[in-house]
Amino acid sequence: PTGVRLSALVDYPVRGFVAELEPDVPPSRGLPLLARLIGRACELLAASNVPHNVFISQRGRRVFLFPQCFAERLARGEVPEAVVATGVNPAVFEISGHMLFKRQQDYDAAD
C-alpha cells in the first residue's frame, strides 16, 4: 500500500520481512494500512501452516515478520544437540536481542 514500505531482511541471522510507514505518513493514515498488510501476511502464513512471529517497534510504525523453520529443522534432526539441550525455541523474543536462559549453566556461561 502507498505509504508503507515492505523489505526483506538482508545480512541478518534469520529470514524475515519488515514493513514500515514512510517517514511522511501520519500514523492516523498509515497504521491501518500497515495493520492490514501485516494481518494479511499472517493470514497467508497461517493458511500455509507456517509458524511465524511478529515484533512491533517504533510505536507501531515498524513491524518485523519472522517466518519460523525451527520446528521443522528440529523434526529433521538438523538442530545441534547443544541448542536442543538449552530448551529454548528461538522466536521473536530471542531474535530481537533478548536473552532467555532456562538453565543456570547457560546463564553462567554467557559472556
Side-chain angles (χ1 to χ4, degrees):
T2 303
V4 176
R5 180 175 47 222
L6 180 63
S7 308
L9 295 175
V10 293
D11 298 326
Y12 201 71
V14 296
R15 62 188 173 143
F17 303 94
V18 61
E20 54 193 327
L21 295 184
E22 296 288 349
D24 60 334
V25 176
S28 61
R29 183 171 73 83
L31 290 178
L33 297 171
L34 185 59
R36 279 195 295 277
L37 175 69
I38 293 298
R40 182 66 180 134
C42 290
E43 288 174 346
L44 291 171
L45 289 169
S48 298
N49 201 29
V50 176
H52 54 279
N53 298 110
V54 176
F55 182 76
I56 302 169
S57 69
Q58 295 185 345
R59 302 180 84 185
R61 294 186 64 91
R62 179 178 289 164
V63 180
F64 294 86
L65 180 59
F66 299 104
Q68 294 293 320
C69 63
F70 185 81
E72 293 173 6
R73 292 183 60 226
L74 183 64
R76 291 193 303 258
E78 297 174 354
V79 178
E81 184 56 40
V83 173
V84 175
T86 66
V88 175
N89 180 345
V92 74
F93 194 72
E94 296 81 13
I95 293 167
S96 301
H98 296 277
M99 298 300 293
L100 177 65
F101 298 105
K102 291 189 175 183
R103 302 181 312 175
Q104 182 67 41
Q105 67 258 34
D106 296 327
Y107 176 80
D108 293 341
D111 289 329

